[in-house]
């Protein structure tokens, strides 16, 4: 049981780092799938982290949209 808890912690850390990369990078479609997929795994396999998985899915989608719009704004400002 302890190994499953450690696996959930590792997935959670990687997922939240991916969400952070969505907000600071100009490649949101590339990073969008990481937090969404990890959030789905957390919701399905780790019952104690169901809410964290849902939050990761939602923030993954929001981060991708914000990152994409920010990249478009910066690219249009440069042109």
């Amino acid at each position: 049981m302890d190994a499953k808890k450690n696996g959930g912690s590792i997935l959670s850390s990687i997922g939240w780092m991916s969400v952070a990369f969505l907000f600071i990078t100009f490649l949101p479609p590339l990073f969008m799938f990481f937090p969404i997929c990890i959030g789905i795994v957390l919701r399905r396999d780790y019952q104690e982290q169901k809410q964290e998985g849902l939050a990761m899915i939602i923030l993954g989608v929001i981060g991708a949209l914000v990152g994409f719009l920010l990249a478009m704004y910066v690219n249009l400002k440069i042109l």
Side-chain angles (χ1 to χ4, degrees), residues 5-67:
K5 185 177 181 183
N6 288 339
S9 298
I10 292 169
L11 281 174
S12 179
S13 299
I14 293 171
W16 287 119
M17 287 189 320
S18 298
V19 169
F21 281 134
L22 280 174
F23 285 104
I24 61 173
T25 186
F26 295 116
L27 300 169
L30 179 68
F31 291 110
M32 178 179 70
F33 297 107
F34 294 136
I36 293 172
C37 293
I38 292 172
I40 290 171
V41 169
L42 286 175
R43 281 190 53 84
R44 188 186 65 200
D45 294 341
Y46 299 92
Q47 295 299 322
E48 64 275 357
Q49 293 175 318
K50 254 186 138 109
Q51 293 297 326
E52 188 175 359
L54 179 63
M56 202 174 294
I57 293 168
I58 292 170
L59 286 174
V61 171
I62 291 171
L65 291 175
V66 168

Side-chain angles (χ1 to χ4, degrees), residues 59-77:
L59 286 174
V61 171
I62 291 171
L65 291 175
V66 168
F68 181 74
L69 292 175
L70 181 64
M72 294 301 287
Y73 176 74
V74 169
N75 285 335
L76 289 177
K77 271 299 216 207

